[in-house]
Amino acid sequence: MTESQQMRLNAWLAGVRKLVTIEIGAGKNIPTIRNIGGRQNGILIRINPQHALINPGKNGVSLELGGLEALRLIEADLNISANRF
């Protein structure tokens, strides 16, 4: 099953032009989503009130906030940006 899932993930990633990964509340001990987010010069948005730092060399944003608070701020910023155009 794992091999099949990995093959589907790799096929999907092959068609992605710019990967943006939002990691919410994941601990620092299991880096799976961060590893995927670092592929293809992707952008990682890491939201975690205690472990928000992104490894050096990764392209991304660290938000040292709770998940709901961070998503509300991102939504507000997107709404402001959308109204500018």
Side-chain angles (χ1 to χ4, degrees):
M1 185 169 148
T2 301
E3 185 176 322
S4 171
Q5 290 173 333
Q6 187 66 50
M7 288 174 52
R8 286 196 315 270
L9 174 62
N10 290 341
W12 179 78
L13 286 170
V16 173
R17 289 186 309 175
K18 186 72 170 186
L19 181 66
V20 177
T21 305
I22 302 175
E23 177 199 78
I24 303 173
K28 60 184 180 178
N29 294 330
I30 302 174
T32 308
I33 195 68
R34 286 187 300 286
N35 292 341
I36 292 171
R39 293 182 183 187
Q40 300 174 324
N41 296 317
I43 298 170
L44 173 64
I45 300 171
R46 187 159 193 219
I47 300 169
N48 192 306
Q50 297 169 340
H51 306 288
L53 293 179
I54 295 175
N55 292 335
K58 299 274 186 184
N59 187 19
V61 177
S62 298
L63 299 175
E64 201 167 293
L65 301 166
L68 183 57
E69 180 184 8
L71 290 175
R72 285 183 174 154
L73 289 171
I74 291 169
E75 179 184 35
D77 190 56
L78 289 171
N79 288 333
I80 289 169
S81 296
N83 290 329
R84 289 185 193 157
F85 297 103

